Each structure stands twice: as C-alpha cells, then as structure tokens.
C-alpha cells in the first residue's frame, strides 16, 4: 500500500528531469522572444532614429540581459547555431537540442509578430511585405546590395565568431561572471559589421521569425540564413575542441551537476549570512 502511495505521489509530482527540460525550453522561448523583440523591434520601430549602431547595440543588450536572466536555467542559447556549437563541443545533452531549437523558433516568430502588431499602429500602418520587418537577405534584399556569396561568407564568419565567443566565455577556465558581457559585446560587434551586408542573422531563429510575416522573398532566401550560421557554429565547435580542449574532459552532465551544486552552495551561504558582501 505504501509503495502504491509513493508511486502515485511521484506521478502527481512528475518526473524531475522532465520538469527541468520543460523549464529549459520555456527559458529559451522567452530569451529568443526578447532577443527578437529588442533587436528586430529596434530596427523596425526606431531604426530611423538610432541608425545601424543603435540597432547593433539593441541586439547586444538584449542578449546580454538574457544571459543573466535565463542563463542559469538553460544556458541562454536563444540561437540554433549556438545550440549546435554547444552540442558538438560536448557542452549539452543531445536529448535537449531539438526542444531548444523548437522553443527558439517559436519564440522568434512570436517576437516578430508582436513587433509587427506594434508597427501597424504607425500613422498610415505598416506592411511587412513592403517594408521587410528587418528580414535578412542578399542581392536586392541586402541593405547595401551585397551578393549571395558575400552574404554566405559573412554569415559563416560572423556566426563562427559568436559561437567561439560563447564557447570560450563559458569555459571552466574563463573568468567567472563575465560571460554575459563578452557575448553581448561580440553580438554588438557582429551587427556593426553585418547589418550592411545581410541585416545580420547569425541566428536561424532570428531570420525565421520576421520572414514568416514578410512574404516570398525572405522565405525564398531563408535557406542561406539557416545553412551559413549552422556551418559557422559547427566550425567554431571544431576549433574549440581542437584548440581549447581541457586537459581533463568534463561531460555536459557532470558540468551541469557542478553548476547546480555551486548555485545551491551560494544560496545556502546567503541564507546563513556567510557570503562576503559584493
């Protein structure tokens, strides 16, 4: 009888590992939503006032904030190319990767939808098909008319830089607490370089979100902003595993357990009043 009650209690509580996975997916959904709302929103709603530099900063600040908000829950990938890079470098479990990517894509689509709804409140309205909704593109769809080859190379190279920064800044040997600054600043730099070429993707989910609402041209060019960032992320993972490989490899599961223990220890110190003042 007691065993039956225990099983029933466990069933009501749910599987803790499943609950952890759902929390991660929700965090990735929220993080990607905020990234698109902040970055694409800045381009669509304020681009005429803040220029390329302001849009670049908006993307960087959005990611920087989310690193500290959802990073402790999901690692703050908010980008399928980052998820692929972390997967190939052994920093995450394969069973989570598909859920991460789905959550990121849904969050990006919803974020772009909210930006579009706000933009429609402009005097005279707003057409995503005509105005573009800050979609990514090449050729006639490139802000400065860059061709497909230049766009592909730009997206591969800039995504390589982003993912390598994520991998290096979150390495066990990196200074603790500064990963968000490095990642947010490098995304700002990437946008300063890439906006004139492709409007800067380096993130298949970010490209998908606005493209869904903007008609056939962005959807027809979407393949480049999926393939090139994934190639850049995979290349960054290969370089990281070759150059930055730790002397004692640590599995993603072991790293996750270590981080959880560290957070628990910090919370215990704060409750006991033993943590040194900042």
């Amino acid at each position: 009888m007691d065993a039956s009650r225990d099983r029933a209690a466990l069933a009501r509580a749910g599987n803790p590992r499943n609950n952890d996975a759902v929390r991660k997916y929700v965090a990735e959904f929220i993080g990607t939503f905020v990234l698109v709302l902040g970055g694409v929103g800045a381009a669509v709603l304020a681009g005429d006032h803040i220029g390329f530099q302001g849009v670049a900063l908006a993307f960087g600040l959005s990611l920087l904030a989310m690193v500290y908000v959802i990073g402790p829950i999901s690692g703050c990938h908010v980008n399928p190319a980052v998820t692929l890079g972390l997967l190939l470098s052994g920093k995450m479990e394969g069973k989570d990767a598909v859920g991460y990517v789905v959550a990121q894509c849904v969050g990006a689509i919803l974020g772009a939808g909210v930006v579009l709804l706000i933009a429609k409140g402009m005097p005279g309205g707003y057409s995503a098909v005509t105005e573009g909704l800050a979609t990514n593109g090449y050729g006639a769809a490139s802000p400065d008319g860059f061709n497909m080859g230049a766009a592909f190379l730009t997206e591969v190279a800039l995504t390589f830089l982003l993912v390598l920064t994520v991998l290096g800044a979150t390495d066990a040997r990196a200074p603790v607490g500064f990963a968000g600054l490095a990642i947010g600043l490098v995304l700002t730099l990437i946008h300063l370089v890439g906006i004139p070429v492709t409007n800067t993707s380096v993130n298949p989910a970010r490209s998908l979100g606005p493209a869904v609402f903007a008609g056939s041209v962005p959807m027809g060019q979407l393949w480049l902003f999926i393939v090139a960032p994934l190639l850049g992320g995979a290349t960054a993972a290969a370089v990281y595993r070759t150059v930055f490989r730790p002397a004692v490899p640590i599995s993603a599961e072991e790293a996750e357990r270590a981080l959880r223990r560290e957070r628990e220890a910090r919370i215990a110190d704060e409750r006991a009043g033993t943590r040194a003042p900042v």
Side-chain angles (χ1 to χ4, degrees):
M1 182 67 70
D2 290 341
S4 298
R5 282 199 298 268
D6 289 343
R7 284 195 295 270
L10 286 172
R12 288 193 298 272
N15 187 325
R17 297 190 68 175
N18 289 340
N19 291 339
D20 283 346
V22 171
R23 289 173 62 245
K24 291 176 182 178
Y25 303 154
V26 171
E28 286 296 304
F29 165 83
I30 293 170
T32 315
F33 171 83
V34 170
L35 177 70
V36 172
L37 181 64
V40 173
V44 172
L45 305 175
D48 291 341
H49 304 284
I50 62 178
F52 284 178
Q53 296 88 346
V55 174
L57 191 59
F59 272 101
L61 289 174
S62 298
L63 183 58
L64 188 154
M66 288 299 100
V67 168
Y68 293 110
V69 173
I70 69 168
I73 301 170
S74 68
C76 189
H77 300 188
V78 300
N79 182 340
V82 172
T83 296
L84 178 64
L86 289 168
L87 177 64
L88 295 178
S89 64
K91 286 194 171 191
M92 76 172 295
E93 298 293 326
K95 60 183 175 59
D96 287 331
V98 173
Y100 269 54
V101 171
V102 171
Q104 291 156 6
C105 290
V106 174
I109 292 170
L110 183 60
V114 170
V115 172
L116 178 58
L117 287 175
I118 296 171
K120 285 182 178 295
M122 295 179 180
Y126 182 91
S127 169
V129 175
T130 303
E131 302 294 333
L133 198 65
T135 50
N136 303 114
Y138 54 85
S142 161
D144 282 1
F146 284 82
N147 64 25
M148 182 177 68
F152 192 92
L153 180 58
T154 299
E155 289 295 325
V156 171
L158 294 182
T159 309
F160 169 84
L161 175 58
L162 172 63
V163 176
L164 188 64
T165 301
V166 171
L167 293 172
T170 57
D171 189 275
R173 295 161 292 183
V176 176
F178 292 96
L181 288 173
I183 295 167
L185 288 174
V186 83
L187 188 64
T188 302
L189 169 63
I190 284 166
H191 277 78
L192 289 173
V193 174
I195 288 176
V197 184
T198 63
N199 231 7
T200 309
S201 169
V202 300
N203 183 340
R206 173 264 183 269
S207 295
L208 173 65
V212 166
F213 302 98
S216 59
V217 173
M219 288 299 292
Q221 296 188 354
L222 184 62
W223 67 270
L224 187 146
F225 302 103
I226 295 174
V227 174
L230 293 179
L231 180 59
T235 305
V239 170
Y240 174 80
R241 289 181 71 94
T242 302
V243 178
F244 298 93
R245 182 175 56 194
V248 180
I250 300 174
S251 71
E253 187 175 355
E254 289 170 332
E256 186 175 324
R257 285 200 299 267
L259 289 171
R260 187 179 294 116
R261 286 195 298 269
E262 182 180 342
R263 288 197 295 270
E264 290 171 352
R266 288 177 179 175
I267 292 170
D269 287 347
E270 288 176 350
R271 286 175 177 170
T274 59
R275 190 175 180 187
V278 183

PDB file of all heavy atoms in Angstrom, residues 2 5 18 22 35 52 77 82 86 92 99 108 116 130 135 140 146 156 162 204 211 213 224 232 240 261 268-269 271:
ATOM      1  N   ASP A   2       1.925   1.269   0.889  1.00  0.00           N
ATOM      2  CA  ASP A   2       2.807   2.422   0.953  1.00  0.00           C
ATOM      3  C   ASP A   2       3.508   2.642  -0.378  1.00  0.00           C
ATOM      4  O   ASP A   2       3.668   3.784  -0.829  1.00  0.00           O
ATOM      5  CB  ASP A   2       3.853   2.228   2.059  1.00  0.00           C
ATOM      6  CG  ASP A   2       3.220   2.310   3.439  1.00  0.00           C
ATOM      7  OD1 ASP A   2       2.113   2.859   3.543  1.00  0.00           O
ATOM      8  OD2 ASP A   2       3.841   1.818   4.402  1.00  0.00           O
ATOM      9  N   ARG A   5       1.166   4.305  -2.765  1.00  0.00           N
ATOM     10  CA  ARG A   5       1.018   5.734  -2.478  1.00  0.00           C
ATOM     11  C   ARG A   5       2.238   6.517  -2.949  1.00  0.00           C
ATOM     12  O   ARG A   5       2.120   7.624  -3.477  1.00  0.00           O
ATOM     13  CB  ARG A   5       0.801   5.957  -0.974  1.00  0.00           C
ATOM     14  CG  ARG A   5      -0.616   5.645  -0.512  1.00  0.00           C
ATOM     15  CD  ARG A   5      -0.895   6.321   0.823  1.00  0.00           C
ATOM     16  NE  ARG A   5       0.014   5.824   1.855  1.00  0.00           N
ATOM     17  CZ  ARG A   5      -0.261   4.791   2.655  1.00  0.00           C
ATOM     18  NH1 ARG A   5      -1.422   4.136   2.522  1.00  0.00           N
ATOM     19  NH2 ARG A   5       0.592   4.408   3.585  1.00  0.00           N
ATOM     20  N   ASN A  18      12.098  15.608 -16.466  1.00  0.00           N
ATOM     21  CA  ASN A  18      11.198  16.167 -17.479  1.00  0.00           C
ATOM     22  C   ASN A  18      10.848  17.618 -17.156  1.00  0.00           C
ATOM     23  O   ASN A  18      10.763  18.468 -18.046  1.00  0.00           O
ATOM     24  CB  ASN A  18       9.932  15.332 -17.593  1.00  0.00           C
ATOM     25  CG  ASN A  18      10.192  13.972 -18.234  1.00  0.00           C
ATOM     26  OD1 ASN A  18      11.212  13.801 -18.909  1.00  0.00           O
ATOM     27  ND2 ASN A  18       9.305  13.033 -18.015  1.00  0.00           N
ATOM     28  N   VAL A  22      11.465  21.018 -19.460  1.00  0.00           N
ATOM     29  CA  VAL A  22      10.415  21.978 -19.813  1.00  0.00           C
ATOM     30  C   VAL A  22      10.825  23.388 -19.400  1.00  0.00           C
ATOM     31  O   VAL A  22      10.627  24.350 -20.151  1.00  0.00           O
ATOM     32  CB  VAL A  22       9.078  21.580 -19.166  1.00  0.00           C
ATOM     33  CG1 VAL A  22       8.051  22.687 -19.335  1.00  0.00           C
ATOM     34  CG2 VAL A  22       8.561  20.288 -19.774  1.00  0.00           C
ATOM     35  N   LEU A  35      15.046  38.601 -27.495  1.00  0.00           N
ATOM     36  CA  LEU A  35      16.070  38.983 -28.467  1.00  0.00           C
ATOM     37  C   LEU A  35      15.447  39.584 -29.726  1.00  0.00           C
ATOM     38  O   LEU A  35      15.890  40.630 -30.223  1.00  0.00           O
ATOM     39  CB  LEU A  35      16.920  37.767 -28.832  1.00  0.00           C
ATOM     40  CG  LEU A  35      17.998  38.016 -29.891  1.00  0.00           C
ATOM     41  CD1 LEU A  35      19.113  38.883 -29.320  1.00  0.00           C
ATOM     42  CD2 LEU A  35      18.553  36.702 -30.415  1.00  0.00           C
ATOM     43  N   PHE A  52      22.156  52.175 -37.695  1.00  0.00           N
ATOM     44  CA  PHE A  52      22.741  50.842 -37.590  1.00  0.00           C
ATOM     45  C   PHE A  52      23.389  50.618 -36.222  1.00  0.00           C
ATOM     46  O   PHE A  52      23.281  49.542 -35.636  1.00  0.00           O
ATOM     47  CB  PHE A  52      23.807  50.635 -38.678  1.00  0.00           C
ATOM     48  CG  PHE A  52      23.254  50.375 -40.049  1.00  0.00           C
ATOM     49  CD1 PHE A  52      24.103  50.215 -41.127  1.00  0.00           C
ATOM     50  CD2 PHE A  52      21.887  50.280 -40.272  1.00  0.00           C
ATOM     51  CE1 PHE A  52      23.608  49.969 -42.411  1.00  0.00           C
ATOM     52  CE2 PHE A  52      21.373  50.042 -41.537  1.00  0.00           C
ATOM     53  CZ  PHE A  52      22.236  49.885 -42.607  1.00  0.00           C
ATOM     54  N   HIS A  77      20.989  29.965 -24.962  1.00  0.00           N
ATOM     55  CA  HIS A  77      21.451  29.791 -26.337  1.00  0.00           C
ATOM     56  C   HIS A  77      20.735  30.787 -27.244  1.00  0.00           C
ATOM     57  O   HIS A  77      21.363  31.475 -28.033  1.00  0.00           O
ATOM     58  CB  HIS A  77      21.148  28.379 -26.826  1.00  0.00           C
ATOM     59  CG  HIS A  77      21.793  27.303 -26.018  1.00  0.00           C
ATOM     60  ND1 HIS A  77      21.774  25.985 -26.397  1.00  0.00           N
ATOM     61  CD2 HIS A  77      22.475  27.326 -24.842  1.00  0.00           C
ATOM     62  CE1 HIS A  77      22.409  25.251 -25.509  1.00  0.00           C
ATOM     63  NE2 HIS A  77      22.832  26.047 -24.551  1.00  0.00           N
ATOM     64  N   VAL A  82      24.107  28.383 -31.932  1.00  0.00           N
ATOM     65  CA  VAL A  82      24.781  28.240 -30.638  1.00  0.00           C
ATOM     66  C   VAL A  82      24.474  26.873 -30.040  1.00  0.00           C
ATOM     67  O   VAL A  82      25.367  26.201 -29.502  1.00  0.00           O
ATOM     68  CB  VAL A  82      24.351  29.370 -29.681  1.00  0.00           C
ATOM     69  CG1 VAL A  82      24.879  29.120 -28.275  1.00  0.00           C
ATOM     70  CG2 VAL A  82      24.844  30.713 -30.198  1.00  0.00           C
ATOM     71  N   LEU A  86      27.327  24.139 -29.054  1.00  0.00           N
ATOM     72  CA  LEU A  86      27.451  23.560 -27.718  1.00  0.00           C
ATOM     73  C   LEU A  86      27.256  22.047 -27.748  1.00  0.00           C
ATOM     74  O   LEU A  86      27.912  21.312 -27.009  1.00  0.00           O
ATOM     75  CB  LEU A  86      26.436  24.217 -26.783  1.00  0.00           C
ATOM     76  CG  LEU A  86      26.743  25.675 -26.427  1.00  0.00           C
ATOM     77  CD1 LEU A  86      25.548  26.332 -25.758  1.00  0.00           C
ATOM     78  CD2 LEU A  86      27.951  25.765 -25.508  1.00  0.00           C
ATOM     79  N   MET A  92      26.400  20.213 -24.028  1.00  0.00           N
ATOM     80  CA  MET A  92      24.991  19.992 -23.735  1.00  0.00           C
ATOM     81  C   MET A  92      24.593  18.596 -24.165  1.00  0.00           C
ATOM     82  O   MET A  92      25.297  17.952 -24.957  1.00  0.00           O
ATOM     83  CB  MET A  92      24.097  21.035 -24.421  1.00  0.00           C
ATOM     84  CG  MET A  92      23.901  20.839 -25.900  1.00  0.00           C
ATOM     85  SD  MET A  92      22.648  21.963 -26.602  1.00  0.00           S
ATOM     86  CE  MET A  92      21.147  21.402 -25.789  1.00  0.00           C
ATOM     87  N   GLY A  99      14.404  20.202 -28.614  1.00  0.00           N
ATOM     88  CA  GLY A  99      13.493  21.043 -27.834  1.00  0.00           C
ATOM     89  C   GLY A  99      13.956  22.484 -27.772  1.00  0.00           C
ATOM     90  O   GLY A  99      13.147  23.419 -27.848  1.00  0.00           O
ATOM     91  N   ALA A 108      10.965  33.260 -31.552  1.00  0.00           N
ATOM     92  CA  ALA A 108      11.315  34.263 -32.563  1.00  0.00           C
ATOM     93  C   ALA A 108      10.099  34.670 -33.382  1.00  0.00           C
ATOM     94  O   ALA A 108       9.917  35.858 -33.697  1.00  0.00           O
ATOM     95  CB  ALA A 108      12.410  33.713 -33.474  1.00  0.00           C
ATOM     96  N   LEU A 116       5.406  43.351 -35.323  1.00  0.00           N
ATOM     97  CA  LEU A 116       4.536  43.699 -36.438  1.00  0.00           C
ATOM     98  C   LEU A 116       3.237  44.337 -35.958  1.00  0.00           C
ATOM     99  O   LEU A 116       2.771  45.336 -36.530  1.00  0.00           O
ATOM    100  CB  LEU A 116       4.236  42.453 -37.279  1.00  0.00           C
ATOM    101  CG  LEU A 116       3.288  42.643 -38.470  1.00  0.00           C
ATOM    102  CD1 LEU A 116       3.831  43.693 -39.430  1.00  0.00           C
ATOM    103  CD2 LEU A 116       3.068  41.321 -39.188  1.00  0.00           C
ATOM    104  N   THR A 130       6.068  44.895 -47.700  1.00  0.00           N
ATOM    105  CA  THR A 130       6.653  46.067 -48.357  1.00  0.00           C
ATOM    106  C   THR A 130       7.871  46.587 -47.621  1.00  0.00           C
ATOM    107  O   THR A 130       8.909  46.891 -48.226  1.00  0.00           O
ATOM    108  CB  THR A 130       5.609  47.191 -48.467  1.00  0.00           C
ATOM    109  OG1 THR A 130       4.465  46.704 -49.166  1.00  0.00           O
ATOM    110  CG2 THR A 130       6.180  48.399 -49.184  1.00  0.00           C
ATOM    111  N   THR A 135      13.937  41.763 -42.069  1.00  0.00           N
ATOM    112  CA  THR A 135      14.345  40.432 -42.500  1.00  0.00           C
ATOM    113  C   THR A 135      15.774  40.462 -43.023  1.00  0.00           C
ATOM    114  O   THR A 135      16.337  41.510 -43.321  1.00  0.00           O
ATOM    115  CB  THR A 135      13.421  39.906 -43.615  1.00  0.00           C
ATOM    116  OG1 THR A 135      13.304  40.912 -44.626  1.00  0.00           O
ATOM    117  CG2 THR A 135      12.053  39.562 -43.063  1.00  0.00           C
ATOM    118  N   ALA A 140      19.173  42.100 -54.000  1.00  0.00           N
ATOM    119  CA  ALA A 140      18.281  43.259 -53.848  1.00  0.00           C
ATOM    120  C   ALA A 140      17.737  43.377 -52.433  1.00  0.00           C
ATOM    121  O   ALA A 140      17.330  44.468 -52.006  1.00  0.00           O
ATOM    122  CB  ALA A 140      17.124  43.142 -54.841  1.00  0.00           C
ATOM    123  N   PHE A 146      24.739  43.565 -51.302  1.00  0.00           N
ATOM    124  CA  PHE A 146      25.776  42.531 -51.363  1.00  0.00           C
ATOM    125  C   PHE A 146      25.214  41.253 -51.976  1.00  0.00           C
ATOM    126  O   PHE A 146      24.060  40.890 -51.715  1.00  0.00           O
ATOM    127  CB  PHE A 146      26.330  42.239 -49.967  1.00  0.00           C
ATOM    128  CG  PHE A 146      27.273  43.286 -49.457  1.00  0.00           C
ATOM    129  CD1 PHE A 146      26.795  44.461 -48.878  1.00  0.00           C
ATOM    130  CD2 PHE A 146      28.645  43.125 -49.561  1.00  0.00           C
ATOM    131  CE1 PHE A 146      27.665  45.435 -48.405  1.00  0.00           C
ATOM    132  CE2 PHE A 146      29.525  44.086 -49.091  1.00  0.00           C
ATOM    133  CZ  PHE A 146      29.040  45.246 -48.517  1.00  0.00           C
ATOM    134  N   VAL A 156      28.737  32.941 -42.229  1.00  0.00           N
ATOM    135  CA  VAL A 156      29.582  31.868 -41.679  1.00  0.00           C
ATOM    136  C   VAL A 156      30.618  32.451 -40.735  1.00  0.00           C
ATOM    137  O   VAL A 156      30.792  31.986 -39.599  1.00  0.00           O
ATOM    138  CB  VAL A 156      30.271  31.069 -42.808  1.00  0.00           C
ATOM    139  CG1 VAL A 156      31.312  30.105 -42.220  1.00  0.00           C
ATOM    140  CG2 VAL A 156      29.253  30.289 -43.615  1.00  0.00           C
ATOM    141  N   LEU A 162      30.706  34.475 -33.083  1.00  0.00           N
ATOM    142  CA  LEU A 162      29.744  34.444 -31.979  1.00  0.00           C
ATOM    143  C   LEU A 162      29.838  33.143 -31.194  1.00  0.00           C
ATOM    144  O   LEU A 162      29.950  33.154 -29.955  1.00  0.00           O
ATOM    145  CB  LEU A 162      28.323  34.613 -32.525  1.00  0.00           C
ATOM    146  CG  LEU A 162      27.190  34.422 -31.512  1.00  0.00           C
ATOM    147  CD1 LEU A 162      27.256  35.471 -30.410  1.00  0.00           C
ATOM    148  CD2 LEU A 162      25.837  34.460 -32.207  1.00  0.00           C
ATOM    149  N   PRO A 204      19.502  31.321 -37.106  1.00  0.00           N
ATOM    150  CA  PRO A 204      18.380  30.886 -37.950  1.00  0.00           C
ATOM    151  C   PRO A 204      17.008  31.240 -37.381  1.00  0.00           C
ATOM    152  O   PRO A 204      16.083  31.548 -38.142  1.00  0.00           O
ATOM    153  CB  PRO A 204      18.574  29.366 -38.029  1.00  0.00           C
ATOM    154  CG  PRO A 204      20.050  29.177 -37.860  1.00  0.00           C
ATOM    155  CD  PRO A 204      20.457  30.214 -36.857  1.00  0.00           C
ATOM    156  N   ALA A 211      10.714  36.526 -41.281  1.00  0.00           N
ATOM    157  CA  ALA A 211      10.452  36.018 -42.634  1.00  0.00           C
ATOM    158  C   ALA A 211       9.059  35.421 -42.761  1.00  0.00           C
ATOM    159  O   ALA A 211       8.431  35.502 -43.827  1.00  0.00           O
ATOM    160  CB  ALA A 211      11.505  34.983 -43.025  1.00  0.00           C
ATOM    161  N   PHE A 213       6.369  36.508 -41.743  1.00  0.00           N
ATOM    162  CA  PHE A 213       5.359  37.546 -41.979  1.00  0.00           C
ATOM    163  C   PHE A 213       5.663  38.407 -43.205  1.00  0.00           C
ATOM    164  O   PHE A 213       4.835  39.247 -43.579  1.00  0.00           O
ATOM    165  CB  PHE A 213       5.262  38.462 -40.752  1.00  0.00           C
ATOM    166  CG  PHE A 213       4.928  37.752 -39.481  1.00  0.00           C
ATOM    167  CD1 PHE A 213       5.927  37.400 -38.580  1.00  0.00           C
ATOM    168  CD2 PHE A 213       3.615  37.414 -39.172  1.00  0.00           C
ATOM    169  CE1 PHE A 213       5.625  36.740 -37.404  1.00  0.00           C
ATOM    170  CE2 PHE A 213       3.305  36.754 -37.998  1.00  0.00           C
ATOM    171  CZ  PHE A 213       4.314  36.408 -37.113  1.00  0.00           C
ATOM    172  N   LEU A 224      19.802  30.347 -46.814  1.00  0.00           N
ATOM    173  CA  LEU A 224      21.170  30.811 -46.550  1.00  0.00           C
ATOM    174  C   LEU A 224      21.348  31.137 -45.076  1.00  0.00           C
ATOM    175  O   LEU A 224      22.415  30.859 -44.502  1.00  0.00           O
ATOM    176  CB  LEU A 224      21.458  32.044 -47.409  1.00  0.00           C
ATOM    177  CG  LEU A 224      22.917  32.559 -47.366  1.00  0.00           C
ATOM    178  CD1 LEU A 224      23.327  33.135 -48.716  1.00  0.00           C
ATOM    179  CD2 LEU A 224      23.107  33.637 -46.276  1.00  0.00           C
ATOM    180  N   GLY A 232      28.845  27.924 -39.587  1.00  0.00           N
ATOM    181  CA  GLY A 232      29.727  28.716 -38.729  1.00  0.00           C
ATOM    182  C   GLY A 232      29.781  28.184 -37.312  1.00  0.00           C
ATOM    183  O   GLY A 232      30.851  28.124 -36.692  1.00  0.00           O
ATOM    184  N   TYR A 240      37.127  24.949 -31.234  1.00  0.00           N
ATOM    185  CA  TYR A 240      37.151  24.937 -29.769  1.00  0.00           C
ATOM    186  C   TYR A 240      37.647  23.589 -29.243  1.00  0.00           C
ATOM    187  O   TYR A 240      38.489  23.536 -28.341  1.00  0.00           O
ATOM    188  CB  TYR A 240      35.753  25.231 -29.227  1.00  0.00           C
ATOM    189  CG  TYR A 240      35.648  25.101 -27.721  1.00  0.00           C
ATOM    190  CD1 TYR A 240      36.091  26.130 -26.894  1.00  0.00           C
ATOM    191  CD2 TYR A 240      35.118  23.958 -27.139  1.00  0.00           C
ATOM    192  CE1 TYR A 240      36.005  26.018 -25.519  1.00  0.00           C
ATOM    193  CE2 TYR A 240      35.036  23.833 -25.763  1.00  0.00           C
ATOM    194  CZ  TYR A 240      35.469  24.866 -24.953  1.00  0.00           C
ATOM    195  OH  TYR A 240      35.401  24.740 -23.596  1.00  0.00           O
ATOM    196  N   ARG A 261      25.370  22.355  -7.976  1.00  0.00           N
ATOM    197  CA  ARG A 261      25.921  22.336  -6.618  1.00  0.00           C
ATOM    198  C   ARG A 261      26.456  23.711  -6.226  1.00  0.00           C
ATOM    199  O   ARG A 261      26.298  24.154  -5.088  1.00  0.00           O
ATOM    200  CB  ARG A 261      27.043  21.295  -6.521  1.00  0.00           C
ATOM    201  CG  ARG A 261      26.561  19.852  -6.507  1.00  0.00           C
ATOM    202  CD  ARG A 261      27.658  18.919  -6.038  1.00  0.00           C
ATOM    203  NE  ARG A 261      28.811  18.949  -6.929  1.00  0.00           N
ATOM    204  CZ  ARG A 261      28.976  18.141  -7.965  1.00  0.00           C
ATOM    205  NH1 ARG A 261      28.036  17.239  -8.247  1.00  0.00           N
ATOM    206  NH2 ARG A 261      30.051  18.210  -8.724  1.00  0.00           N
ATOM    207  N   ALA A 268      22.814  28.657   0.005  1.00  0.00           N
ATOM    208  CA  ALA A 268      22.983  28.292   1.412  1.00  0.00           C
ATOM    209  C   ALA A 268      23.819  29.336   2.138  1.00  0.00           C
ATOM    210  O   ALA A 268      23.519  29.702   3.286  1.00  0.00           O
ATOM    211  CB  ALA A 268      23.647  26.914   1.510  1.00  0.00           C
ATOM    212  N   ASP A 269      24.870  29.857   1.501  1.00  0.00           N
ATOM    213  CA  ASP A 269      25.705  30.885   2.118  1.00  0.00           C
ATOM    214  C   ASP A 269      24.915  32.161   2.375  1.00  0.00           C
ATOM    215  O   ASP A 269      25.049  32.808   3.411  1.00  0.00           O
ATOM    216  CB  ASP A 269      26.906  31.203   1.223  1.00  0.00           C
ATOM    217  CG  ASP A 269      27.940  30.091   1.231  1.00  0.00           C
ATOM    218  OD1 ASP A 269      27.842  29.211   2.110  1.00  0.00           O
ATOM    219  OD2 ASP A 269      28.822  30.087   0.347  1.00  0.00           O
ATOM    220  N   ARG A 271      21.670  32.415   2.799  1.00  0.00           N
ATOM    221  CA  ARG A 271      20.699  32.210   3.885  1.00  0.00           C
ATOM    222  C   ARG A 271      21.391  32.221   5.240  1.00  0.00           C
ATOM    223  O   ARG A 271      20.824  32.679   6.238  1.00  0.00           O
ATOM    224  CB  ARG A 271      19.985  30.872   3.671  1.00  0.00           C
ATOM    225  CG  ARG A 271      18.977  30.915   2.530  1.00  0.00           C
ATOM    226  CD  ARG A 271      18.387  29.555   2.289  1.00  0.00           C
ATOM    227  NE  ARG A 271      17.360  29.616   1.232  1.00  0.00           N
ATOM    228  CZ  ARG A 271      16.802  28.560   0.675  1.00  0.00           C
ATOM    229  NH1 ARG A 271      17.182  27.334   1.040  1.00  0.00           N
ATOM    230  NH2 ARG A 271      15.880  28.688  -0.266  1.00  0.00           N
TER     231      ARG A 271
END
